Amino acid sequence: MPTVQGAFVLPLALDNTVFNNLTSTMGQVDGTFNLPVYKGLGVGVGGNATWYELNGNALAPLLTEGTLNRVLFHGKLWWAHYTGPRTFYEVNAKLGQGTWNWNCRTCTENERQASTHWAVNAAYFVHTSENLSFGLTVGYQEDAAEFGPRVIGLEQFPGRTDMGARYRFFTVGLLFSTGFRSTQEGVW
């Protein structure tokens, strides 16, 4: 049966100390439309948006106030398996195209970075009704673009020797899945 999934996720940056110091994650939302193909295997399409606030004093003496967001669209390949009458897990891989939008005090103009995005995730769901389930998800995601001083209009990060790194994240969050079939009386 076709489903729609939504997730509220907290992305935690990996191996990018300057990015961690400079940004405060406000949140990430993800939504996909999924179609089953064969015996638990399916495909989907969706989108994702992430918001950050920049810490103004992270690169003192420079003020780096501002905002950052990433918007992306992706395709999804997934496999799901029921572990009981009301529980199932899903593993999936996503591939898509995203855009990082930087708006900060030190930016010479609003910087945009286009990037290929990929992610792998695992989730465990519990049905609350025949068509609605809630779950927990963990995953890893990476973008081909890199964060460095030029992104925010600088030649180098003041007082630091590192020059930034790729956008890589560990993710953890809550999600829901809702199906599109009529419920049968007395099933749940």
Side-chain angles (χ1 to χ4, degrees):
M1 114 180 105
T3 61
V4 168
Q5 288 182 349
F8 305 98
V9 177
L10 178 64
L12 306 166
L14 300 171
D15 297 330
N16 202 337
T17 307
V18 178
F19 184 85
N20 277 337
N21 292 338
L22 181 62
T23 61
S24 294
T25 307
M26 297 174 71
Q28 177 176 306
V29 294
D30 187 279
T32 58
F33 176 75
N34 302 307
L35 291 171
V37 176
Y38 180 74
K39 292 189 178 182
L41 187 65
V43 295
V45 295
N48 175 308
T50 312
W51 294 273
Y52 299 88
E53 183 176 70
L54 302 186
N55 299 326
N57 295 321
L59 298 176
L62 295 174
L63 288 177
T64 52
E65 298 169 327
T67 59
L68 166 63
N69 66 62
R70 180 189 67 186
V71 177
L72 65 90
F73 299 96
H74 56 74
K76 175 180 171 183
L77 179 64
W78 57 270
W79 182 73
H81 179 73
Y82 274 83
T83 57
R86 292 186 178 219
T87 58
F88 68 99
Y89 65 87
E90 177 187 300
V91 291
N92 66 62
K94 297 176 182 177
L95 180 64
Q97 182 69 28
T99 303
W100 289 87
N101 300 299
W102 288 85
N103 180 10
C104 64
R105 182 180 278 218
T106 60
C107 299
T108 53
E109 56 187 57
N110 290 343
E111 179 70 28
R112 297 176 65 102
Q113 293 176 285
S115 176
T116 301
H117 169 85
W118 68 272
V120 291
N121 303 283
Y124 192 76
F125 291 89
V126 176
H127 276 280
T128 58
S129 71
E130 188 174 358
N131 285 331
L132 182 63
S133 56
F134 293 93
L136 299 171
T137 182
V138 295
Y140 173 84
Q141 56 183 250
E142 184 173 322
D143 285 15
E146 292 189 5
F147 169 68
R150 294 193 192 286
V151 172
I152 58 172
L154 302 174
E155 290 296 318
Q156 64 183 31
F157 296 121
R160 296 178 182 261
T161 57
D162 51 343
M163 296 302 289
R166 267 193 169 179
Y167 297 107
R168 300 179 329 120
F169 302 92
F170 171 76
T171 58
V172 61
L174 303 172
L175 56 113
F176 71 90
S177 180
T178 186
F180 295 105
R181 70 175 167 200
S182 61
T183 60
Q184 299 172 6
E185 188 83 23
V187 170
W188 294 92

